[in-house]
Amino acid sequence: EALALKQLGENPKPVVFHNFLQCWDPLFHYFEELRIKKMIYQDPNELYSAFESSREVVAHLEARLAQNS
């Protein structure tokens, strides 16, 4: 739902995945498949960010927060 709202421009908040041990990779591949089938019109990589470490997640969110301040 968060990604659908993001695609529609209704969700300005960042969508972030902690992709520890690449556990979310199958979902990311599915998002790409949906884009190819034209079920998602926007590049999925523009809808979310994924990071392997929690430190990267926190740094990304802090940077976004600083941008919006």
Side-chain angles (χ1 to χ4, degrees), residues 50-62:
F51 301 98
E52 291 187 19
S53 76
S54 56
R55 286 189 177 135
E56 291 174 301
V57 170
V58 170
H60 175 76
L61 292 174
E62 286 175 342

Side-chain angles (χ1 to χ4, degrees), residues 25-60:
D25 282 357
L27 180 64
F28 301 150
H29 293 299
Y30 182 63
F31 289 157
E32 182 59 25
E33 186 178 323
L34 291 175
R35 187 192 64 77
I36 290 167
K37 292 180 179 180
K38 309 251 188 260
M39 297 178 78
I40 297 176
Y41 67 86
Q42 196 171 356
D43 181 352
N45 295 318
E46 295 174 7
L47 298 174
Y48 65 86
S49 300
F51 301 98
E52 291 187 19
S53 76
S54 56
R55 286 189 177 135
E56 291 174 301
V57 170
V58 170
H60 175 76

Side-chain angles (χ1 to χ4, degrees), residues 12-27:
K13 297 177 184 175
V15 177
V16 180
F17 289 91
H18 181 200
N19 196 23
F20 181 69
L21 298 176
Q22 295 81 38
C23 66
W24 289 107
D25 282 357
L27 180 64

